[in-house]
Structures are given as structure tokens and as C-alpha cells.
Amino acid sequence: DPLLARRVREQDDVVDNARQLIRRRILQDIKLHPENVESLLRINSVSKHIERLADMATNVAEDVIYMVEGDIVRHRMTD
């Protein structure tokens, strides 16, 4: 479904922005609560993995668009 694939592509920036927000918050929390460093680093790792999954989903979406429509959208910001 190329329409759904395009929606997936659009959401990648949302996930990237959330990851940056989480990262900044974790850095602040480490300074304020150094006793929680281990758990905060685990949360950071989870957010990094979620961002990577979103990147992979975006790659699949771009492949779907190419296979169905013949349109190469990889490395383009907008459709």
C-alpha cells in the first residue's frame, strides 16, 4: 500500500524528534539524579532502538513505494 508507506515515511521525523527530546531529558536527569544513571542509560538505549526500528520501517516503506509506483523517494525530504 503506497499510501500507507508514504504515511510511514512522514512519521519518521516525529520519531527522530521524540528521540532527541528523550535524549536531552535523560542528560538533564543524569545531572539531577546521578543515582539513577543505570536506569536512565537503559531508557536512552531503548529510545535509540525504537528510532532505529522507525528508520528500518521507513526503508521498507520507501521500497514499497518504488516497487508499486516506480518512484524513487529515498533521500528525498518530501514526496
Side-chain angles (χ1 to χ4, degrees), residues 12-29:
D12 187 56
D13 287 341
V14 174
V15 176
D16 291 345
N17 292 337
R19 163 74 175 125
Q20 291 307 315
L21 179 67
I22 291 167
R23 184 178 173 279
R24 283 193 299 270
R25 175 66 190 268
I26 287 172
L27 290 174
Q28 291 172 352
D29 285 357

Side-chain angles (χ1 to χ4, degrees), residues 8-9 11-24 26 42-60:
V8 168
R9 259 186 105 228
Q11 293 300 309
D12 187 56
D13 287 341
V14 174
V15 176
D16 291 345
N17 292 337
R19 163 74 175 125
Q20 291 307 315
L21 179 67
I22 291 167
R23 184 178 173 279
R24 283 193 299 270
I26 287 172
R42 286 184 182 156
I43 293 168
N44 185 61
S45 180
V46 169
S47 72
K48 187 180 356 178
H49 291 301
I50 290 171
E51 180 189 23
R52 184 65 191 119
L53 285 170
D55 291 340
M56 289 181 209
T58 299
N59 291 341
V60 170

